[in-house]
Amino acid sequence: MDINERREEILKILADREYVTVEEFSKVLGVSAVTIRTDLTSLEESGLLIRTHGGAMKSSMKGEARLISNTMIENEMEKKAIAEKAASLIKPGNTIIIDSGSTTIHLIEHLKGKNITVVTNNLLVLERLKSEDDIKIIALGGSLRRESMGTVGPLAEVAIKALNVDIYFMGAAAYDKSSISSSDISESSLKRYMMESSDKVVFIADSSKFGKKAFSNICSWHDIDTFVSDVVDKDFRKELEEMGVEVLASDD
């Protein structure tokens, strides 16, 4: 079986299922996991499937939410570098919002000793900061959205509207030159309330999300004060800076 035939077989296998692991592909096709990963990467670049941690799902599921357990380990080094850069904006005594997301979660690695208040709807943030005595934590209630392990809905929105916060660190599923978007309407709604409650909005996202749109629009770039990423296209950076958006890149 040559490379083209093997990749056709991968698509046939995936056509009947929502998700297939690398191990399953390897066993059925009789090739190594390394070969399968290479095939999946190539097929994703062609838009024929979507890579996930440990496997792949059909491209028809592109608009659907992806579990944070998968997205957290994608571009992990870039996300950690972005979070470190973003955390440099935090001053001792600040009150900040950390929302749900696979990049924002890495901010907590840089909060020790800052004596700050963290407002969050992110259950993973709550879990990891619970033993940090110098950090005051305010948890937002609401309905649990399991894909992101964050709370959303009217209860969370009412709670955030009662607060005034220094900095909001916002994550998102996708962004392009005109807007920033999420895969979930209720998540987008809460993010907008978080923006309204904050003096400064810092959007953090890695460059793999650039040039894409997710299901629900959150805001335009005019609503963003600072953008932190790993790499920012030169022309796009110029456009953002002309709009008054501060641009920080971890590779600078």
Side-chain angles (χ1 to χ4, degrees), residues 37-252:
R37 291 189 186 99
T38 300
D39 289 338
L40 296 181
T41 297
S42 177
L43 290 167
E44 182 180 49
E45 290 172 352
S46 300
L48 298 173
L49 54 73
I50 300 171
R51 285 292 312 274
T52 65
H53 176 56
M57 59 186 182
K58 5 180 186 182
S59 59
S60 60
M61 297 177 67
K62 188 171 184 179
E64 297 182 19
R66 301 175 64 196
L67 295 176
I68 194 169
S69 58
N70 288 329
T71 59
M72 277 183 64
I73 61 173
E74 295 173 350
N75 304 306
E76 185 176 16
M77 297 304 295
E78 289 84 352
K79 291 175 180 178
K80 286 186 173 183
I82 292 165
E84 182 177 8
K85 191 84 168 182
S88 67
L89 300 170
I90 303 171
K91 298 177 180 178
N94 275 168
T95 298
I96 69 171
I97 299 174
I98 300 177
D99 75 1
S100 56
S102 60
T103 305
T104 53
I105 187 70
H106 294 295
L107 281 168
I108 63 177
E109 300 165 21
H110 308 284
L111 302 183
K112 292 182 180 180
K114 289 185 180 287
N115 193 31
I116 62 174
T117 298
V118 174
V119 179
T120 187
N121 68 323
N122 189 328
L123 271 62
L124 300 179
V125 169
L126 293 173
E127 172 65 24
R128 298 187 187 188
L129 290 182
K130 66 183 180 183
S131 300
E132 301 298 330
D133 294 336
D134 63 329
I135 298 176
K136 183 178 180 180
I137 302 171
I138 298 175
L140 301 179
S143 302
L144 175 62
R145 182 171 180 266
R146 288 183 173 83
E147 293 87 348
S148 62
M149 290 305 292
T151 57
V152 294
L155 292 177
E157 293 172 1
V158 168
I160 198 63
K161 283 193 289 185
L163 304 176
N164 296 305
V165 177
D166 295 312
I167 308 174
Y168 167 33
F169 291 97
M170 182 180 81
Y175 65 96
D176 60 16
K177 290 188 175 183
S178 63
S179 63
I180 300 164
S181 51
S182 166
S183 59
D184 183 76
I185 293 175
S186 57
E187 200 167 67
S188 293
S189 177
L190 180 59
K191 288 177 187 290
R192 286 191 288 270
Y193 280 111
M194 288 176 167
M195 294 171 72
E196 291 174 6
S197 296
S198 305
D199 292 335
K200 184 173 186 174
V201 178
V202 179
F203 172 47
I204 63 176
D206 69 86
S207 55
S208 71
K209 297 177 179 178
F210 178 59
K212 301 177 181 179
K213 283 186 180 291
F215 177 65
S216 173
N217 283 331
I218 301 170
C219 64
S220 74
W221 287 99
H222 294 286
D223 300 305
I224 303 300
D225 296 300
T226 302
F227 173 45
V228 188
S229 188
D230 52 323
V231 180
V232 183
D233 175 80
K234 182 179 178 180
D235 292 336
F236 184 40
R237 178 194 285 260
K238 183 178 179 181
E239 290 178 26
L240 291 177
E241 290 176 340
E242 287 175 351
M243 283 191 279
V245 178
E246 177 186 26
V247 179
L248 304 176
S250 60
D251 71 336
D252 286 346

